[in-house]
């Protein structure tokens, strides 16, 4: 029982941190810009979510607060929590109606998970996304989602 409570707390903390960054005034402006300029809105938003999750994971790890790899991608885990909040906000605040569809949410989750897999295999997901969206790739960062994140997926 205690492990389940710890997992729920970890999901809440990591998810809240990622959502806070993505849905801040600055984050919303960035998402709106990405949506307006992207040839593939799913890929563009997936990249933004992936980068936010990477930052949160790096920050937590640097403070000795590691979260079980499986909780990031588990059903009802960090990624699901972030996707729910982001899709709701894209529709309600930014007026992006497609975000309300289950197909968009499913494609978005798949896009983020693809970026995680790509990072684990040594690729730079930001560079791959830059090729898809036409946006310049940010410089590579240390850390990221870490190894083993997609294990068993």
């Amino acid at each position: 029982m205690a492990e389940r409570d710890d997992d729920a707390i970890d999901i809440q903390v990591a998810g809240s941190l990622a959502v806070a960054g993505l849905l801040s005034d600055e984050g919303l402006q960035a998402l709106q810009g990405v949506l307006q300029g992207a040839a593939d809105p799913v890929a563009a938003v997936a990249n933004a979510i992936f980068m936010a999750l990477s930052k949160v994971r790096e920050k937590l790890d640097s403070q000795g607060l590691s979260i079980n790899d499986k909780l990031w991608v588990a059903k009802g885990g960090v990624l699901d929590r972030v996707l729910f909040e982001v899709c709701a906000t894209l529709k309600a605040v930014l007026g992006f109606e497609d975000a309300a569809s289950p197909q968009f949410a499913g494609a978005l989750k798949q896009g983020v998970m693809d970026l995680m897999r790509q990072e684990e295999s040594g690729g730079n997901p930001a560079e791959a996304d830059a090729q898809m969206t036409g946006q310049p790739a940010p410089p590579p960062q240390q850390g990221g989602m870490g190894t083993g994140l997609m294990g068993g997926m």
Side-chain angles (χ1 to χ4, degrees), residues 65-139:
L65 302 171
S66 294
I67 292 179
N68 183 327
D69 287 340
K70 292 177 183 172
L71 296 180
W72 292 92
V73 295
K75 183 173 180 150
V78 177
L79 178 57
D80 283 353
R81 174 178 159 71
V82 171
L83 290 173
F84 175 80
E85 296 290 339
V86 168
C87 286
T89 302
L90 289 176
K91 181 185 182 296
V93 177
L94 299 181
F96 187 69
E97 295 296 323
D98 289 350
S101 76
Q103 293 82 8
F104 182 87
L108 193 55
K109 182 172 186 173
Q110 187 61 51
V112 174
M113 292 178 72
D114 287 348
L115 290 168
M116 290 174 176
R117 283 186 195 99
Q118 183 178 359
E119 182 186 57
E120 282 189 2
S121 67
N124 182 341
E127 286 177 8
D129 189 63
Q131 293 171 355
M132 286 188 282
T133 64
Q135 303 285 330

